[in-house]
Amino acid sequence: MGFTRFLHGHKTFDHGIYPVEHKELTAGKPIRRLPFADELVIPLQQHKGRTSVPIVKVGQEVVRGEPIAVADHFVSVPMHAPATGVIRAIGLAPTAEGPKTQAIFLKVYHAAGQQVLYGSECEPEHMNVKDIIQAVQDAGLVGLGGGAFPSHVKMQPPAGRVIHTLLVNGCECEPYLTCDHRIMLEQTEHLIRGIRIALRATRAERAIIGVEDNKLDAVSHLRARIPKHLPITVEAVRTKYPQGAEKMLITALLDAEVPAGGLPADVGVVVFNVGTLAQMGELVPQGRGLIERVVTVSGPAVKNPGNFLVPIGTPVRFLLDQVGLKGELGQVILGGPMMGMAVSSLDVPVTKSVSGVVALEPEDPAPARRQVYPCIKCGECLRACPVSLNPSMLGELAVAREYGVMAEQFNLDQCFECGCCAFVCPSNIPLTQYFRIAKSINRDARRRDEAKQTRH
């Protein structure tokens, strides 16, 4: 490990950046529930893996919490009705990524009490591993930190891998976002129970909660409330982006490095976000599904920023109407400004992976609007990259459309699109976007090659 890991008292990783946090806008705002929108749009693809399969029909009435789509594979999860209402349609809906996707349109009954009327209680502490994993899948749980990988799949490591440590990610290193901070302070009991469930399912010996040191109130709060007999500790790590990336957190807390192309399980670790585990601790014992999540709504264009409990499927337009805008609206980003996705339509719904909605003003210097200049070979991107790639060279190869060379000779696939290189680039080169496009083109090429081999 480099010398920087030991500076300032709290653990960290080499490289990275220090963007302005803007967390003071919402860090002290308790979680509040918002009214229900008139219509919720529930995409069937809100997770990594196979698309969910609808089991409802147009015109069918459903109650809050009722399953409305089932998993189509082990790497898939079901969907549940976020509100009591009637299925208005099943069809295409806009997404933040661009292409439309199949979704269920649910017209909400505002006169209904909106109690969760579906579920069957159980005691995960007395269940075997297989039943716990099934219960987690039945709850529709995915990574709520933005990854959206099905949680039950993480609980079943690859053959030959033994998990010894459960890392709980409470870093929340993206600017503006504070929903995880509030979850640690307000949903502590659910979080602790979720950790206990995950420990039992993974057979890990211990759990470590990693929290950035700009949230020391959460560190002291958790330490005071974790029972002494549980193998759970809380560690402060240095506030630095992207400290919350799972490989960076593993390096910071365990001084271990996940091999290139490998998984955390290769070093005996599994990583879960605090929001995911808090939902696990609440939903699994009740036999209920994921129907809502905590979302930070913030940004310079927002009049009343805060942390809100939002039904899955709530349109972004409705959220912004509820918090109010100061004036003209610029870009709207789902997630944080570093790794989040700018939306082209405010009709895009909140999905399971949306941790924040950041609304910018028109004059904000969004990267897409900056003048791009030639690379000056300053090396800032090399110093910032947390996985020690050469973003400058990768950028030049991307411009030359040498996408295969990027992957084969310069480890493009190790890039997890954190945005550090583009953030520090004085020439405003949109490096992250270049790499995202290159990886997509390479994936398409691999699929074509595999299809040809299958035909032959």
Side-chain angles (χ1 to χ4, degrees):
M1 286 302 303
F3 176 70
T4 56
R5 184 172 185 265
F6 301 100
L7 294 178
H8 307 300
H10 291 144
K11 299 175 180 179
T12 188
F13 59 97
D14 288 337
H15 304 292
I17 59 174
Y18 298 88
V20 180
E21 297 174 18
H22 299 295
K23 292 180 183 287
E24 72 283 353
L25 296 171
T26 57
K29 301 281 185 74
I31 300 167
R32 292 196 296 120
R33 182 180 293 281
L34 290 179
F36 287 79
D38 291 336
E39 184 169 87
L40 303 176
V41 182
I42 304 100
L44 296 171
Q45 183 68 65
Q46 297 186 41
H47 53 271
K48 300 294 191 296
R50 293 268 193 94
T51 303
S52 306
V53 179
I55 55 173
V56 290
K57 297 179 180 179
V58 174
Q60 180 178 337
E61 293 183 325
V62 294
V63 297
R64 191 164 185 241
E66 179 180 345
I68 56 176
V70 295
D72 190 36
H73 189 265
F74 180 68
V75 188
S76 181
V77 296
M79 302 291 170
H80 302 78
T84 296
V86 62
I87 306 301
R88 183 186 67 79
I90 300 175
L92 294 176
T95 65
E97 292 78 10
K100 291 188 174 183
T101 187
Q102 283 290 319
I104 296 172
F105 295 77
L106 175 62
K107 183 175 176 58
V108 176
Y109 287 165
H110 286 288
Q114 296 301 347
Q115 298 92 344
V116 179
L117 301 174
Y118 202 96
S120 177
E121 292 187 6
C122 64
E123 295 184 3
E125 293 82 3
H126 302 298
M127 294 166 62
N128 61 43
V129 171
K130 181 180 178 181
D131 289 341
I132 292 176
I133 291 174
Q134 185 62 58
V136 171
Q137 182 177 23
D138 291 343
L141 285 167
V142 302
L144 301 186
F149 193 77
S151 300
H152 68 281
V153 179
K154 273 192 175 185
M155 290 178 158
Q156 187 167 302
R161 302 294 187 272
V162 176
I163 302 300
H164 57 70
T165 302
L166 171 71
L167 284 193
V168 183
N169 189 348
C171 290
E172 196 166 44
C173 56
E174 279 268 12
Y176 290 105
L177 304 188
T178 60
C179 57
D180 286 351
H181 187 181
R182 298 311 310 179
I183 285 170
M184 288 186 283
L185 293 174
E186 300 182 51
Q187 300 180 3
T188 314
E189 297 307 315
H190 291 323
L191 172 58
I192 293 172
R193 191 168 192 187
I195 294 172
R196 293 176 63 189
I197 293 170
L199 282 171
R200 183 173 178 83
T202 60
R203 298 186 176 93
E205 300 167 359
R206 60 173 179 166
I208 305 174
I209 307 174
V211 184
E212 283 193 326
D213 56 13
N214 60 356
K215 295 179 274 290
L216 291 177
D217 57 340
V219 172
S220 58
H221 177 85
L222 290 169
R223 284 175 175 168
R225 284 159 179 78
I226 294 172
K228 300 297 183 184
H229 69 278
L230 294 179
I232 304 172
T233 57
V234 185
E235 295 283 347
V237 293
R238 200 202 312 173
T239 299
K240 181 170 66 171
Y241 181 84
Q243 187 73 261
E246 61 180 17
K247 291 184 179 181
M248 304 301 100
L249 189 59
I250 290 169
T251 296
L253 288 176
L254 301 177
D255 197 13
E257 185 172 341
V258 177
L263 299 170
D266 294 331
V267 292
V269 179
V270 64
V271 185
F272 285 99
N273 171 264
V274 292
T276 307
L277 291 175
Q279 286 288 321
M280 190 180 298
E282 179 180 10
L283 299 177
V284 171
Q286 299 180 77
R288 293 179 175 177
L290 179 63
I291 57 174
E292 59 190 2
R293 63 156 298 149
V294 182
V295 177
T296 299
V297 185
S298 188
V302 175
K303 186 182 295 183
N304 300 300
N307 296 290
F308 305 99
L309 195 56
V310 178
I312 303 300
T314 300
V316 170
R317 186 186 307 278
F318 178 84
L319 273 186
L320 295 178
D321 287 344
Q322 294 299 309
V323 299
L325 298 175
K326 295 178 180 178
E328 191 177 349
L329 182 63
Q331 280 193 333
V332 176
I333 299 169
L334 295 190
M338 295 301 299
M339 291 187 71
M341 188 80 65
V343 300
S344 58
S345 168
L346 296 184
D347 296 323
V348 168
V350 169
T351 60
K352 295 179 180 183
S353 64
V354 174
S355 54
V357 175
V358 179
L360 305 178
E361 295 176 325
E363 61 268 25
D364 284 351
R369 299 174 185 167
R370 298 175 188 160
Q371 177 66 43
V372 176
Y373 299 96
C375 175
I376 60 173
K377 312 295 184 185
C378 65
E380 287 298 316
C381 57
L382 279 77
R383 285 184 281 273
C385 180
V387 290
S388 300
L389 299 180
N390 186 337
S392 174
M393 178 60 73
L394 284 166
E396 291 186 1
L397 290 168
V399 171
R401 300 185 181 181
E402 296 286 352
Y403 305 125
V405 175
M406 292 171 71
E408 294 162 11
Q409 298 182 28
F410 291 91
N411 301 305
L412 172 66
D413 291 336
Q414 297 308 305
C415 170
F416 59 94
E417 302 169 23
C418 66
C420 287
C421 55
F423 182 85
V424 300
C425 180
S427 295
N428 298 326
I429 300 172
L431 293 164
T432 310
Q433 287 81 355
Y434 286 177
F435 305 158
R436 191 172 289 152
I437 291 168
K439 289 162 74 174
S440 176
I441 290 172
N442 284 345
R443 281 194 298 269
D444 290 343
R446 284 195 294 268
R447 292 191 191 103
R448 289 194 297 271
D449 289 344
E450 290 169 1
K452 287 179 182 177
Q453 292 174 4
T454 302
R455 286 197 296 269
H456 295 300

